[in-house]
Amino acid sequence: MNEMDEDLEIKKEYIQLIVDGKRLDGRGFEELRPIKIEAGVLKRADGSCYLEMGRNKVVAAVYGPREVHPRHMQEPSKAVVRYRYNMAPFSVEERKRPGPDRRSVEISKVSREAYEPVIMKELFPRSGIDIFVEVLQADAGTRTACLNAATVALVDAGIPMRGLITSVAVAKVDGVLVLDPMKEEDNHGEADVPFAFVIRNGRIESIALVQMDGKMTVEEMKKATEMAKKGAMEIYALQREAIMKKYAAVEIEEE
Ligand code: CDP
């Protein structure tokens, strides 16, 4: 499918997504998919993380602070943050053409913008902090899974931050809101809203990313935000646990 065809592909097949008050995978409306997080999985990266969120499997690698190449991209008073989201060709049902496309460029941009205010860039003038996220297996919510993995990799790399980013989506399917949609819900639902929050001192401080695909009422959007906040706190606990596991004796920066 070329990009033009993708733009025109707006008609969705109807699939019943809520059967007897349950989601297709048996989850409750406010239930996350099973999450697995492991910090420090790559030897060469300064910080890394492997994360599964349902059937999503992603790896994050952080390099830096280090010298920026090309040099003209250096900033005299702060670090440059770069974020590259990439989907492996084998991560999706129909083989994805390797390399960046419009979607991955957009995801990389909004993800970087979520981290920009959180990373203490002013401490590292002229240097660069590079965040790479690779999707090995995709099942909707890869941008949220990658943000969650990147946070753990950044902490693993010892990058000073003002808070931690935690991300989860809420979808509207068959007229109800559901937390952390999987592929069927994302594809056939009425709306999909990924959120990312800044969590500081154990509390949600602000919203770092919201994207909306579809349609919701203002009331639904308010409820979706509350659902996402609850989900994010659960994920945050798992991110902390993964970090603690690696640095059993070390306290986390923010506390
Ligand atoms: O993954 P995320 O929900 O952040 O982004 P999306 O653009 O809403 O994509 C939803 C899902 O569609 C992905 O997670 C993949 O499972 C699937 N997808 C695909 O099969 N082929 C692509 N080229 C892009 C996405």
Side-chain angles (χ1 to χ4, degrees):
M1 212 176 357
N2 64 35
E3 282 193 348
M4 181 71 93
D5 290 337
E6 274 181 48
D7 284 344
L8 293 173
E9 201 211 15
I10 48 171
K11 264 193 265 150
K12 287 183 183 171
E13 187 193 340
Y14 177 72
I15 291 185
Q16 192 181 347
L17 294 163
I18 305 292
V19 182
D20 298 332
K22 285 261 175 196
R23 297 161 75 177
L24 294 183
D25 59 2
R27 272 187 293 159
F29 299 163
E30 304 209 12
E31 200 177 327
L32 293 167
R33 290 175 282 188
I35 294 176
K36 186 178 147 188
I37 311 179
E38 192 180 341
V41 291
L42 302 174
K43 197 166 147 230
R44 277 184 210 100
D46 295 312
S48 59
C49 173
Y50 171 74
L51 185 144
E52 292 180 6
M53 221 167 142
R55 289 190 291 252
N56 291 303
K57 297 184 178 185
V58 306
V59 178
V62 168
Y63 293 82
R66 63 180 181 180
E67 203 175 325
V68 177
H69 291 288
R71 289 190 128 201
H72 67 83
M73 286 185 71
Q74 289 182 354
E75 295 254 7
S77 60
K78 57 181 192 280
V80 176
V81 175
R82 293 182 287 199
Y83 189 105
R84 194 191 79 149
Y85 165 100
N86 185 54
M87 245 182 174
F90 53 81
S91 66
V92 285
E93 243 164 84
E94 269 182 54
R95 177 184 177 276
K96 187 204 160 285
R97 187 149 26 105
D101 54 16
R102 210 170 44 181
R103 176 178 171 278
S104 64
V105 169
E106 181 220 311
I107 293 177
S108 299
K109 177 180 183 285
V110 296
S111 303
R112 175 178 51 75
E113 286 171 353
Y115 283 105
E116 290 265 4
V118 173
I119 294 174
M120 295 179 161
K121 297 186 295 186
E122 65 282 5
L123 299 180
F124 307 104
R126 284 183 297 281
S127 55
I129 296 166
D130 291 315
I131 307 164
F132 297 90
V133 292
E134 294 285 325
V135 178
L136 307 177
Q137 188 170 288
D139 193 61
T142 58
R143 78 196 63 198
T144 64
C146 287
L147 283 163
N148 293 329
T151 292
V152 174
L154 281 161
V155 176
D156 187 35
I159 305 291
M161 291 190 281
R162 295 185 179 83
L164 299 189
I165 298 273
T166 298
S167 178
V168 70
V170 173
K172 183 177 172 186
V173 302
D174 289 356
V176 296
L177 298 179
V178 295
L179 184 65
D180 189 21
M182 54 178 173
K183 182 92 186 329
E184 293 80 355
E185 293 169 331
D186 180 290
N187 277 18
H188 302 282
E190 293 123 76
D192 174 32
V193 190
F195 290 88
F197 299 98
V198 178
I199 303 188
R200 194 170 182 182
N201 297 328
R203 272 202 244 112
I204 292 187
E205 184 200 65
S206 53
I207 300 180
L209 175 148
V210 188
Q211 293 182 285
M212 163 72 116
D213 169 7
K215 197 175 163 200
M216 272 186 194
T217 64
V218 172
E219 278 313 307
E220 282 168 340
M221 189 64 188
K222 282 186 194 156
K223 187 172 173 217
T225 309
E226 289 310 310
M227 276 172 78
K229 280 167 70 178
K230 266 177 70 188
M233 288 309 293
E234 288 179 44
I235 297 170
Y236 170 70
L238 299 172
Q239 288 173 307
R240 277 183 62 110
E241 206 177 283
I243 294 159
M244 295 293 198
K245 202 169 162 194
K246 187 164 177 224
Y247 299 101
V250 181
E251 279 296 299
I252 296 184
E253 181 87 23
E254 59 171 336
E255 296 211 331

